Amino acid sequence: MAKKELKKVFNLNSYEWWRNHRRVVTFGLFLSIFAFYLGNPFHKEGKVKDTCAKLNSSFQITGDEAMKKLNLKEIKNYNNRELANYYCERYLGIK
C-alpha cells in the first residue's frame, strides 16, 4: 500500500506522460542544441567586435584588458594596445 501512495505523491508512473509528449520534448531538445550550435560562433564574433570597438572608441579599455579578452600573447618590444589594434584591424578586415 505504501508503494501506491508514493507513486501518487511523487508521480513515479511517468511513462504515460513520456509516451504522450516524447515527440515534443525530443524536438525541443534537438532545436535547442541546434540553436546553441549555430549561436556559439556568432556570440564569439560579437564578443571580439565589442572588445575592438571599446578599444578604439575613446580609450574605454586598456591594451592589457583587450589582450586578455582577445586571448592574445604579449610580444616583447611591442605595446599591448598596438598589438590588440593590429589584431582588430586584421580580424575586421580594415586596412
Side-chain angles (χ1 to χ4, degrees), residues 37-89:
Y37 173 74
L38 285 181
N40 203 18
F42 292 114
H43 176 70
K44 288 180 182 177
E45 185 173 344
K47 187 177 175 183
V48 170
K49 286 182 178 182
D50 183 51
T51 303
C52 291
K54 285 181 180 179
L55 182 68
N56 289 324
S57 65
S58 67
F59 297 92
Q60 290 182 4
I61 61 174
T62 64
D64 295 331
E65 290 177 66
M67 293 285 285
K68 187 176 178 183
K69 287 184 178 183
L70 296 172
N71 296 328
L72 301 175
K73 296 179 183 177
E74 295 185 20
I75 301 175
K76 292 181 181 179
N77 300 329
Y78 283 98
N79 185 359
N80 286 344
R81 185 169 197 83
E82 291 176 7
L83 284 173
N85 265 336
Y86 183 75
Y87 176 81
C88 288
E89 288 174 359

